[in-house]
Amino acid sequence: MKNYYIIDFDSTFTQVEALDELARISLEGHPDQDKVYKQIEGFTNLAMEGKISFRESLAGRIKLLKANKSHLDKLVSHLKKKVSHSFNRNREFFRKNSDTAWIVSGGFKEFITPVVTPYHIKKENIYANTFKFDAEGNIIGYDEHNPLSDEGGKVKLLQELNIQGRIFGIGDGYSDFQLKESGLIEKFFAFTENIARQSVTEKADHITPSFDEFLYVNDLPRAISYPKNRILCLIVGEVPEIASHILKRDGFSVRTKETFEEKYTKDVGMLLLGPNVSVSDEQLSRADKLKTIGFLGDIKGHINKVICNEKGIVVFDDKKDKKRNAEFIPRRMADFINNGDTDQSRNFPNLILPKLSKAHRLLHIHQNVPGVMAQINNIYAENNINIVAQFLMTKGDIGYAVTDLNVEYEKDLIKQLKKIENTIKFRILY
C-alpha cells in the first residue's frame, strides 16, 4: 500500500496563519486596526483549540478582513518568505513523493497554491477553500459547499476521497487531530516548529518539532541525517540571551542552566559555557555524544583540550574579542553541526566547506597517523562509491576528513568506516 502524507498549511507548512497575515495587510491604516486584528486572531485560536466550530471561525474572520485581490498578491509574496525552515530544506522529499504528498487545509487555494507548487506539490493534490469575489475584486465570502469550509471538514474530505493507502497526518490544529480521531489516518504528528497547542499535542501519536523529525522517525529521505531538535544544546553560566536565541532559531533543543548537571552528561550534544565555567575531566570524558564546545572567552584552564581531541570534540573560543562572543561562538558551533565547518576552531584544523545539495557528506575524525586516508578511500572503492569532493586537514594529533558523495550507499559502508583503526568519531551530516 502507498503512503500518503496529509500536510496542513497554516502554522505548519508556513510559520504563520495566512488569514491573520492577510488581516495585517488589508487593515493597514484602519483606525481600529489592532482591535480588529485581535478579533481575527481570536477566531483563529479558538478554532485551532477546538473551542468553536471551524465554520464559525472562518465566517467571522472573512467578515472582518475587508480584503481584495490586490491584498492577496502581497500576502503570497509574504508567505513565500515564511515557509517553515524544515519544509524549505526538504524540497527533495516533495519531489520524490509528488504523487502522495498533499496539502489539506482550511485555508484558501488563492494563496496556498502559489506558495506550495514551487515545492513540487501538484495542484491536483492541494485541497483547500476558495474565496468569492465581487465585481471589484473584494472578498465577500467563500464556497460554502466545499467540505473544508465546515466543521470536521478534513474528515469529510478524506471520507469522500476514500484514499486506498496508509495515511499520515501532519499539522498543528484541532482539525488535524480530528483525522486521527476519525480513524481515517494511521498516525497523527503534531507539528510544533511554529506553535505548540497543548490541546493538540497531548492527543498526538508523535510530537514533531520539525519536518526533519517526521522524516527521521519514518525513515524517509531527508536533507539532514539527524534532526537538530534531537541534539541537546546545554548553555551553562553567564551567557547573553542572544546566544540562546541563535541556537533555538536554528532548531536545536536548548537548555539553560547555572551548572553542568550530571543528568545531562550522557545526552549533551553541544555545550556553550560562560566565561567562568569549568568542566571536570571526569565529566568531559563521559560525555560521549558531545560534538562541540563553545566558550565565551579563553578556554585555557577551564576545559581539557587533550580529552576533547581524544573524543573528537570541536572547541570554539575567543580570547580577543569578548563583545562579539555571544553571537560569534554559537554561530561557529551551529556551522559545524550544520555544514561540518571548523573555521576558527581552537583544536581542529580550520575548514570552511562548500554547501551541497543532492549529496551526502560524511565526517571522519581520526588520529593523525599515516595510512588512515588510504583505508578510507579503499572502502569507498570497494563499495563502488563515486566521490564528488574530499577534504583532509590535520592539526597536531587530529585528522579531519570530509567526503561528499552523490550516490546512495548501503549501511554496511558506514560500519566499515567506523571500524577503521584510529577512528575517533564518525558522523553522517546529510
Side-chain angles (χ1 to χ4, degrees):
M1 295 178 73
K2 280 187 178 181
N3 289 345
Y4 288 83
Y5 309 99
I6 304 300
I7 302 166
D8 185 35
F9 182 76
D10 295 294
S11 294
T12 298
F13 194 91
T14 59
Q15 302 167 35
V16 294
E17 292 287 326
L19 285 184
D20 293 1
E21 297 304 302
L22 180 56
R24 293 183 192 276
I25 294 168
S26 66
L27 294 168
E28 188 175 2
H30 191 284
D32 295 322
Q33 178 182 357
D34 291 341
K35 180 182 177 182
V36 178
Y37 177 74
K38 285 179 180 177
Q39 286 179 288
I40 291 172
E41 191 178 47
F43 275 121
T44 300
N45 290 330
L46 288 171
M48 289 298 101
E49 293 166 8
K51 294 178 179 177
I52 63 173
S53 73
F54 182 77
R55 175 156 284 189
E56 184 181 355
S57 168
L58 188 61
R61 286 181 287 169
I62 295 296
K63 186 177 180 180
L64 291 164
L65 275 175
K66 302 187 187 306
N68 59 45
K69 287 184 178 179
S70 66
H71 296 136
L72 288 176
D73 292 338
K74 292 179 181 178
L75 176 64
V76 168
S77 178
H78 175 64
L79 292 178
K80 285 182 175 181
K81 299 172 186 175
K82 290 291 183 178
V83 173
S84 296
H85 298 305
S86 61
F87 279 97
N88 192 37
R89 63 175 163 261
N90 281 290
R91 291 176 185 241
E92 186 66 11
F93 167 82
F94 292 102
R95 188 185 67 80
K96 289 183 177 180
N97 295 275
S98 60
D99 290 330
T100 55
W102 295 6
I103 298 293
V104 178
S105 170
F108 290 81
K109 283 188 177 182
E110 286 83 356
F111 55 73
I112 292 175
T113 300
V115 173
V116 304
T117 49
Y119 290 78
H120 311 287
I121 295 171
K122 296 179 178 179
K123 289 182 179 180
E124 60 265 32
N125 292 339
I126 301 168
Y127 293 89
N129 285 299
T130 53
F131 287 120
K132 287 182 178 179
F133 301 92
D134 64 15
E136 284 74 43
N138 296 310
I139 296 172
I140 56 173
Y142 56 90
D143 178 6
E144 295 180 6
H145 299 293
N146 187 326
L148 289 168
S149 71
D150 203 358
E151 176 63 19
K154 292 185 179 182
V155 173
K156 293 175 183 178
L157 175 70
L158 260 65
Q159 287 172 335
E160 289 180 10
L161 293 173
N162 192 26
I163 300 168
Q164 299 301 306
R166 300 169 69 236
I167 306 173
F168 299 88
I170 309 162
D172 66 288
Y174 183 72
S175 63
D176 303 299
F177 167 70
Q178 285 178 321
L179 290 174
K180 171 65 177 179
E181 203 171 35
S182 70
L184 289 167
I185 66 175
E186 185 150 322
K187 283 187 178 181
F188 168 57
F189 292 79
F191 188 81
T192 61
E193 183 171 327
N194 305 307
I195 188 169
R197 308 179 198 275
Q198 187 176 350
S199 60
V200 177
T201 57
E202 64 187 11
K203 297 173 181 176
D205 292 302
H206 190 89
I207 297 171
T208 177
S210 67
F211 193 51
D212 306 298
E213 172 75 6
F214 171 80
L215 298 175
Y216 177 79
V217 300
N218 290 294
D219 197 23
L220 294 166
R222 53 193 179 272
I224 56 177
S225 295
Y226 192 72
K228 288 189 279 186
N229 58 269
R230 288 184 171 233
I231 299 176
L232 173 60
C233 177
L234 191 63
I235 297 178
V236 182
E238 295 182 13
V239 177
E241 192 173 339
I242 184 64
S244 175
H245 174 73
I246 289 168
L247 294 165
K248 284 181 180 177
R249 185 180 59 193
D250 208 291
F252 300 107
S253 176
V254 177
R255 301 283 186 279
T256 301
K257 297 291 178 180
E258 292 183 4
T259 61
F260 185 7
E261 298 173 19
E262 178 58 35
K263 65 180 180 180
Y264 293 111
T265 302
K266 68 182 182 66
D267 294 320
V268 66
M270 303 168 70
L271 190 58
L272 178 58
L273 306 175
N276 298 312
V277 178
S278 298
V279 177
S280 71
D281 291 358
E282 181 188 6
Q283 197 169 11
L284 186 61
S285 66
R286 289 185 287 108
D288 293 332
K289 292 183 180 179
L290 188 56
K291 300 170 181 65
T292 180
I293 295 175
F295 193 87
L296 303 191
D298 186 350
I299 204 167
K300 187 176 181 181
H302 297 278
I303 297 289
N304 190 321
K305 194 173 72 171
V306 173
I307 296 177
C308 289
N309 288 356
E310 291 172 351
K311 297 185 71 65
I313 300 167
V314 182
V315 176
F316 297 95
D317 69 350
D318 188 359
K319 55 188 176 182
K320 294 181 180 178
D321 193 345
K322 295 182 179 180
K323 288 184 179 180
R324 72 171 183 166
N325 279 351
E327 296 185 39
F328 171 74
I329 298 298
R331 287 196 172 115
R332 293 280 70 74
M333 296 168 70
D335 285 344
F336 169 67
I337 297 294
N338 294 335
N339 200 51
D341 293 352
T342 54
D343 181 42
Q344 301 186 61
S345 162
R346 180 69 178 267
N347 62 330
F348 262 54
N350 283 192
L351 266 178
I352 301 177
L353 299 163
K355 290 180 172 61
L356 295 179
S357 60
K358 299 180 182 179
H360 305 284
R361 175 162 289 171
L362 311 182
L363 312 182
H364 191 278
I365 302 169
H366 53 269
Q367 294 174 16
N368 183 19
V369 296
V372 175
M373 283 305 299
Q375 294 179 67
I376 290 173
N377 287 330
N378 282 339
I379 289 172
Y380 288 133
E382 289 167 3
N383 286 272
N384 296 313
I385 298 295
N386 182 37
I387 296 174
V388 177
Q390 194 168 53
F391 309 87
L392 170 67
M393 285 191 74
T394 62
K395 182 176 181 179
D397 53 358
I398 290 287
Y400 187 50
V402 181
T403 307
D404 294 335
L405 318 174
N406 68 350
V407 293
E408 296 295 328
Y409 53 84
E410 299 295 329
K411 290 183 179 179
D412 190 58
L413 170 72
I414 305 306
K415 293 179 182 177
Q416 294 176 50
L417 291 168
K418 288 180 177 180
K419 287 181 180 178
I420 291 175
E421 190 176 359
N422 298 307
T423 296
I424 296 173
K425 190 171 282 185
F426 177 86
R427 182 169 160 237
I428 305 169
L429 194 63
Y430 47 74

